[in-house]
Each structure stands twice: as structure tokens, then as C-alpha cells.
Amino acid sequence: MNIAVAEVNFNEIQAEVLVVGTFKHPENTSNWSEFVSFYGSSLDKWLKTGDVSTDRKKLTKLPTLQEGKLHRVIFVGLGDRKSLTQDDLRSIFGIVGKELMASKTTNVSIWLDSFTNEEIEIDDASYLAAEGISMGLYKVPNYKTSSNATDTYLDNVELLTNSDNQEILAYFEVGQVYGESVNEARSLVNMPSNVLTATKMAEYAKELAETYDFEYEELGKAQMEELGMGAILAVNQGSTEEPRLIVMKYRANDDWNDVVGLVGKGVTYDTGGYSIKPKDGLVGMKGDMGGAAAVLGAMRIIGETQPNKNVMAVIASTDNMISGNAFKPDDVITSLSGKTIEILNTDAEGRLVLADAVTYAKQQGANYIVDVATLTGGVIIALGKDKTGALTNNETFFETFLEASVETGEFVWRLPLTESDKKRIRKSDVADLNNSPGRDGHMIFGGGFVGEFVDNTPWIHLDIAGTSDASAAHDLGPKGGTGAMVRSLATLIERMSLEETE
């Protein structure tokens, strides 16, 4: 995509489409009278009659009558100027992206000044335009043989502004990186499990590491057995596909210290094992690796933006299948940490693979850990499908993350993890821990189990079982994988990087 910044001169627009932000009182927008003179005096009348809507998130498409390359103007309703937030504008540009894709637009000019207010400065508008449009342009890959529709891409974007801010282009480019990285994660979540095996996920991660010069390590089944990764190996027992532990290291400097470990659950398909899911519960389990996708998406952003912070990604990948060799309720397994686990539920497998993954992250030098997983249906019961549930053992670390999630507009809600909860996780007649204390407090027990393996390392657990997949199209994308937590994880690293610099 070619991106350019130009001064506002409507007569010189070379794009086929112009995108204009329209507040309730557009006459207060700088250069509005010049735009009306350019487009035609009837515009004021159409605004008053509602033929051109100023309602927030409403698009009005009108042709132009002037000679030239510009064929159409998309008027984007912004509503009341004072109440427009950055989250609103991101969603609005997502809708714009969908319209540009539907109309197969390849060249667009965005009158950036028309989208600003007291809260949203020109660089914010540039970033949000790129991020929102990139996510709005996303299309779920399919395997249909009858489809003959050609893909269309937005080739050229022109940002029109009279601002002298020299960073407008840079902000747009960063926003584009964030949006496209979310889309990469979405495609991984949407991929069928017979296509995206643990081995294929490792191949994807290796290509990512080579692109951005990350250190890369990949452990197969034999190496896991040698190291004693009994938790992930137990989950893998019923499968014909080998497991993989994927490790990427981004070194911001020569000293490998103060490292943030991003740990992702990469269960490529979850039958539930012998604690088998009902048939309706099996559909969609290809997306049980949403945590891994979030970590991979965040690492793509980190590779592009090069923050001043050491980061390690650890992804534990396998499927959870049924066979004569599969692990069973009543089994006792030994994790990489040495802690023994009584298996009460083979469908509580995600916490097992994460147990070995966070232990390995600690062994490799992680000083902070964030684990991300589609871990429990309990988080959906507690919070619904639009909120990510969180646990933590460190207030300061969590506060930094929460600020990042607010900035990205990804809603996160913290649940308590009490000593009583921990006692129930540790209750077993035959082992140190049990993997399923009960249905009540399900999300807390799932995340709390992972917390048993981090000890005193500052830790955040993110359960994205509700937010990783959308059951219907939304402002920022279609039905399917959402790329949840990609942007929040990357923004956390950015914030920690800035704190370190200061």
C-alpha cells in the first residue's frame, strides 16, 4: 500500500473516492466552506434534510459531478463532536474499511482534519484510520472451489491535512502494522485444524522469526520427553500429530534481562479427550489456539516496531484427541516443574500445556509472564463474549497492562484469586494439584492452576475464550477470529519500553 500526505486541496485529488468526516455541525470543521464550494452548495441542504447523515457510524455515498478522477464521496457520520472517542473512531474506520472493500476501491483520499476534535489529534486520527481500515478490510480465507471473485486491495491512500505534524505518515504506518497483525492472528484462528497442525504452526513461527531476526527454538516430542514436559505430553498422548513447543526471543539489547514472556495456548483442536465435549461443543474448536495466535500477532508488531524491551514468546502446541493411548481421568502426570497433577477432567487440557510453557519461559529467563488462552467456558458465563477475563499476582504489572488494554479498546476485567481458590486447586489425595476443582469459579480455577507454576514472577492470565471468536460480523471485522489481545499485548510492551527509556 502506497501512503502519501498532502495539503487539503479538493481540486487536486487524484483518488477515485474521498472519505469525509461529518459531525453534527460540520460548518465548525476547518476548511468546510471550501469543501462545500468544491462539492456543491446543495450539500448544506442535504445535511439539514438528513439526506447526508451526521449520525455516528452512518455512511452516505454520493457521486461527484465535477470532471476528474474523483468519482465518489463517502460522508462518514461522526455525531456530536465533543463525545467522539478514539474507540468510536477506530470502529468508524472499520466500517469505512468494509465499505472500501465492498466497493472494490483501490485509491482513496481521507480528509484527516475532518475526523479530529479536542481529544483526537491529527496523529491519533491517522493511526486510528490505518488500524480501523486495515481490520475492516479483513476477509476470512475460504476453500471454496466455485469462487471466481478476484481479491481487491487498497493500493493508494492519500491523507489530506493542513497540519504541519511531521509524524502523520509514521502514525498511519504503525496503525497499519497493528491492524494487519490482528488480521494475521485472525487467519490463524480461522484455519481448519487439519491444515494448521502443531507442526504447521511451528513453520509459521519460524518464518516470522526469520523475517524479524528473532532467535528461534523448536522442541519436538523427543526433546520434551528428555526435558520431562509431562503435562503437554499427556495432552498429546491421544494424537497422531507431534506436539511442538515454540520459542522466539526478541533481544532489544545485549543483556538478556528484564524479559517479558508472552505465553500462548496453541491447542489446534480440542475434542475434550475422554471427557468429551457434546457434538455442538466440538464445532469451532479449531480456534482453541487463539492464545497462540495472539502471541504470534503481537510478535509481528514487535518485530516491526522494535521496542526497547526484551521479549520472549513461548507457545505450547498440540491437539487433544481420543485414542487408546489418550490420557484419562484418574491419571497422575508430572509436569516440567516437577509438580504432580491428578487428572480429573481431560477437557481441562489448556492449563496443562500452559503449565509446562510458563515453566519453560521462566527457565529461559522470563521476569514477567503474560499467558493468553481460550481457557474456559466459565469466563463467558461470568463476563459474556465481549470481555476478556484476567487474573494476576502483581498489582503494578496488571495496572500497566490495563492501561494498554484501555488504549486499544479491548475490554479486560479482573477476577479475584483467593487463598481459598488456591486450596481447592491443591486438593488431591494423590498429587500436588488437581486440574479441575469444579464448575463453580471455573475461570478462576483454570487461570489459578497456571498461576501455581509462576511462583513469585509477576504474572497476568488472560482468558479469551469469549473474545477470540465473533459469532457475527462487527464494526472491525467479519464473523470468526477476532485477533483478541494482539494489540493489547504489543501496547503493553511499548508502554514498558517507554517506562524503561524514561
Side-chain angles (χ1 to χ4, degrees):
M1 184 188 296
N2 299 312
I3 310 156
V5 180
E7 288 187 9
V8 177
N9 186 336
F10 302 112
N11 292 301
E12 296 296 325
I13 292 174
Q14 299 298 304
E16 58 192 293
V17 173
L18 172 64
V19 179
V20 176
T22 315
F23 286 104
K24 276 194 174 177
H25 295 284
E27 66 273 10
N28 295 327
T29 298
S30 178
N31 296 111
W32 184 259
S33 58
E34 288 90 334
F35 176 68
V36 172
S37 297
F38 162 76
Y39 188 78
S41 57
S42 296
L43 178 58
D44 284 334
K45 180 178 68 176
W46 295 339
L47 284 161
K48 289 177 182 177
T49 60
D51 292 306
V52 174
S53 178
T54 61
D55 292 345
R56 189 162 295 165
K57 297 187 178 181
K58 297 291 186 182
L59 304 188
T60 306
K61 298 171 287 182
L62 292 176
T64 56
L65 301 177
Q66 299 86 346
E67 293 292 329
K69 293 184 178 180
L70 184 63
H71 298 155
R72 188 168 64 255
V73 176
I74 300 175
F75 295 92
V76 182
L78 302 177
D80 179 67
R81 188 181 297 270
K82 289 184 179 179
S83 65
L84 183 72
T85 67
Q86 293 196 19
D87 287 347
D88 291 331
L89 192 54
R90 181 187 295 109
S91 294
I92 286 166
F93 275 119
I95 296 169
V96 170
K98 288 185 173 189
E99 172 56 34
L100 295 175
M101 179 174 63
S103 62
K104 299 183 179 180
T105 300
T106 57
N107 298 285
V108 65
S109 287
I110 302 171
W111 182 14
L112 214 54
D113 293 341
S114 66
F115 290 92
T116 61
N117 62 10
E118 288 187 6
E119 180 192 343
I120 302 168
E121 297 182 353
I122 194 69
D123 50 3
D124 299 320
S126 181
Y127 173 90
L128 293 167
E131 188 176 72
I133 289 173
S134 295
M135 288 192 280
L137 287 171
Y138 178 73
K139 184 179 179 182
V140 178
N142 68 66
Y143 303 85
K144 296 180 180 180
T145 57
S146 60
S147 176
N148 58 8
T150 57
D151 290 329
T152 57
Y153 301 95
L154 199 55
D155 295 326
N156 299 291
V157 176
E158 183 181 49
L159 306 174
L160 301 179
T161 177
N162 285 331
S163 170
D164 59 358
N165 190 320
Q166 299 300 307
E167 297 186 341
I168 291 172
L169 182 61
Y171 272 86
F172 191 94
E173 289 172 340
V174 172
Q176 187 181 1
V177 167
Y178 271 67
E180 290 178 351
S181 298
V182 167
N183 293 343
E184 287 276 320
R186 288 170 168 176
S187 289
L188 290 171
V189 172
N190 290 327
M191 204 172 288
S193 62
N194 62 321
V195 177
L196 184 67
T197 61
T199 303
K200 290 297 182 181
M201 187 182 293
E203 289 175 6
Y204 176 91
K206 187 176 182 180
E207 288 180 10
L208 193 71
E210 289 173 350
T211 299
Y212 296 111
D213 200 26
F214 300 148
E215 291 182 16
Y216 181 78
E217 181 185 25
E218 181 183 320
L219 304 183
K221 186 174 183 179
Q223 293 159 298
M224 292 181 191
E225 290 172 340
E226 187 176 338
L227 291 171
M229 292 186 175
I232 185 174
L233 286 168
V235 177
N236 180 254
Q237 276 177 213
S239 178
T240 57
E241 292 284 346
E242 280 214 358
R244 288 291 184 270
L245 191 82
I246 300 160
V247 183
M248 292 182 286
K249 294 178 181 177
Y250 164 75
R251 291 183 180 267
N253 49 60
D254 293 335
D255 298 321
W256 188 242
N257 53 31
D258 208 34
V259 179
V260 182
L262 304 179
V263 179
K265 171 188 171 183
V267 174
T268 57
Y269 194 81
D270 181 20
T271 65
Y274 277 111
S275 305
I276 192 168
K277 298 177 185 290
K279 68 179 180 64
D280 291 340
L282 288 167
V283 178
M285 281 298 105
K286 66 181 182 180
D288 208 20
M289 35 57 66
V295 169
L296 289 166
M299 290 302 290
R300 183 180 185 274
I301 295 173
I302 289 163
E304 289 282 352
T305 58
Q306 300 282 300
N308 184 33
K309 191 71 179 175
N310 291 323
V311 183
M312 177 191 342
V314 179
I315 293 168
S317 187
T318 179
D319 48 6
N320 182 23
M321 304 299 285
I322 301 171
S323 75
N325 294 323
F327 78 134
K328 314 168 295 297
D330 288 342
D331 284 359
V332 175
I333 62 175
T334 303
S335 66
L336 176 62
S337 71
K339 292 182 179 181
T340 56
I341 304 162
E342 179 184 8
I343 303 301
L344 300 181
N345 182 355
T346 61
D347 195 21
E349 88 299 332
R351 64 201 71 180
L352 299 176
V353 304
L354 287 172
D356 281 350
V358 298
T359 301
Y360 196 73
K362 286 182 59 184
Q363 292 177 356
Q364 293 297 305
N367 304 104
Y368 306 85
I369 289 176
V370 184
D371 78 82
V372 197
T374 49
L375 204 66
T376 66
V379 74
I380 301 173
I381 302 300
L383 301 176
K385 291 188 174 183
D386 60 341
K387 305 170 195 73
T388 291
L391 299 175
T392 189
N393 65 359
N394 188 285
E395 300 286 342
T396 303
F397 186 36
F398 184 74
E399 189 61 33
T400 302
F401 173 76
L402 194 60
E403 290 171 357
S405 71
V406 169
E407 181 179 334
T408 59
E410 296 192 293
F411 196 106
V412 175
W413 192 257
R414 178 184 173 185
L415 281 80
L417 176 61
T418 67
E419 289 303 314
S420 176
D421 298 324
K422 294 175 184 178
K423 285 179 181 178
R424 289 184 63 181
I425 296 167
R426 296 166 185 166
K427 185 179 180 180
S428 172
D429 293 334
V430 294
D432 299 319
L433 307 168
N434 79 80
N435 80 323
S436 186
R439 295 296 300 175
D440 59 314
H442 192 203
M443 180 269 171
I444 295 171
F445 292 138
F449 180 92
V450 181
E452 292 293 311
F453 297 86
V454 299
D455 297 322
N456 295 320
T457 304
W459 161 73
I460 297 168
H461 166 70
L462 299 173
D463 192 335
I464 60 172
T467 53
S468 180
D469 187 87
S471 57
H474 50 97
D475 291 345
L476 290 171
K479 174 183 175 181
T482 62
M485 291 296 113
V486 168
R487 294 178 297 120
S488 291
L489 291 175
T491 303
L492 168 68
I493 301 302
E494 178 191 4
R495 282 178 169 267
M496 295 181 78
S497 170
L498 293 173
E499 286 177 3
E500 196 163 286
T501 303
E502 292 170 0

